């Protein structure tokens, strides 16, 4: 991944982008409001196997879930026709995380939302997209920490929403807690 400072983005943004000025403007706006996102230029492989160098934003977006703050790692890829076409968006779990598949996330981590499906370039933009993501992910986070040793496989291992029903805590010595180890809070 090649992180590109926003000041250099104008110079390195491929001429194949149809609306370069709008792309640069939206990226600048997002970066001014979301400090944990960075612009990148990277080769993106589409589902049909074709690859292109695309500009994107990668990093984390801040989400509040049940009163606690979480940073959700994401990548937003802008096709050459952007903003006339919706970005391609993914959650990017760290090795300690697994994808929680559901209505808005598939098993590959692709973000699936009506906002993206109904994208209208005159009404939709990157900043609004991130706000929608924050709202949706605040209701049901797209990632969770690995809970069990068998979760230690691929970083892209996933589970469905119905599989999460309880949490088992392990002690530092890797033994399970017993009722005598419990603390009343």
């Amino acid at each position: 991944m090649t992180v590109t400072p926003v000041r250099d983005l104008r110079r390195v943004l491929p001429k194949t982008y149809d609306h370069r000025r709008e792309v640069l403007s939206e990226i600048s706006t997002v970066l001014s409001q979301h400090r944990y996102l960075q612009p990148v230029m990277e080769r993106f492989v589409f589902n049909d196997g074709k690859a292109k160098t695309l500009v994107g934003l990668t990093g984390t977006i801040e989400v509040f879930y049940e009163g606690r703050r979480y940073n959700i790692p994401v990548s937003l890829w802008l096709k050459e026709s952007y903003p006339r076409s919706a970005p391609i968006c993914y959650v990017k779990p760290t090795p300690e995380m697994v994808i929680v598949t559901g209505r808005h996330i598939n098993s590959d981590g692709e973000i699936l939302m009506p906002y993206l499906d109904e994208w209208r370039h005159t009404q939709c933009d990157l900043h609004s997209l991130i706000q929608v993501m924050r709202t949706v992910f605040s209701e049901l986070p797209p990632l969770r920490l690995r809970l069990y040793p068998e979760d230690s496989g691929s970083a892209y291992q996933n589970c469905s929403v119905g599989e999460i029903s309880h949490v088992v805590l392990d002690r530092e010595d890797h033994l399970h807690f017993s009722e005598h180890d419990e603390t009343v809070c």
Side-chain angles (χ1 to χ4, degrees):
M1 166 175 43
T2 305
V3 175
T4 306
V6 72
R7 67 180 178 279
D8 296 338
L9 197 55
R10 179 177 289 114
R11 183 176 46 81
V12 298
L13 185 65
K15 303 258 188 259
T16 54
Y17 275 81
D18 299 331
H19 307 281
R20 296 178 83 226
R21 189 171 287 141
E22 289 175 78
V23 169
L24 293 167
S25 174
E26 283 198 38
I27 288 173
S28 293
T29 299
V30 166
L31 295 176
S32 72
Q33 297 174 16
H34 300 279
R35 66 178 183 225
Y36 297 115
L37 290 174
Q38 297 179 322
V40 294
M41 292 291 299
E42 192 170 86
R43 187 175 161 103
F44 181 88
V45 180
F46 292 88
N47 290 336
D48 64 4
K50 292 181 183 174
K52 286 197 174 226
T53 299
L54 297 180
V55 67
L57 292 169
T58 190
T60 61
I61 57 173
E62 190 176 71
V63 170
F64 288 89
Y65 176 69
E66 294 183 350
R68 297 187 68 182
R69 182 181 63 127
Y70 296 91
N71 292 312
I72 306 295
V74 297
S75 288
L76 314 176
W77 295 102
L78 308 183
K79 295 181 269 188
E80 294 169 326
S81 56
Y82 184 85
R84 304 302 188 264
S85 60
I88 303 166
C89 306
Y90 288 90
V91 292
K92 302 300 279 186
T94 65
E96 300 82 24
M97 299 174 175
V98 291
I99 296 168
V100 178
T101 59
R103 194 172 74 193
H104 300 294
I105 304 291
N106 72 15
S107 61
D108 295 326
E110 185 174 4
I111 299 169
L112 311 167
M113 297 181 172
Y115 189 87
L116 292 166
D117 293 336
E118 300 164 9
W119 186 269
R120 302 285 181 271
H121 75 275
T122 57
Q123 300 168 345
C124 302
D125 58 44
L126 289 174
H127 176 69
S128 298
L129 170 61
I130 292 169
Q131 296 310 313
V132 170
M133 289 173 153
R134 292 179 70 195
T135 300
V136 169
F137 296 164
S138 291
E139 294 170 10
L140 181 63
L143 303 168
R144 69 162 174 84
L145 289 177
R146 295 184 184 283
L147 299 177
Y148 307 106
E150 60 269 16
D151 281 349
S152 61
S154 163
Y156 295 98
Q157 185 175 358
N158 63 66
C159 69
S160 66
V161 175
E163 292 177 30
I164 301 173
S165 61
H166 66 283
V167 175
V168 175
L169 298 175
D170 289 332
R171 298 177 358 170
E172 288 182 17
D173 57 7
H174 303 292
L175 298 173
H176 291 289
F177 281 100
S178 70
E179 63 183 280
H180 303 292
D181 295 328
E182 295 177 330
T183 302
V184 177
C185 299

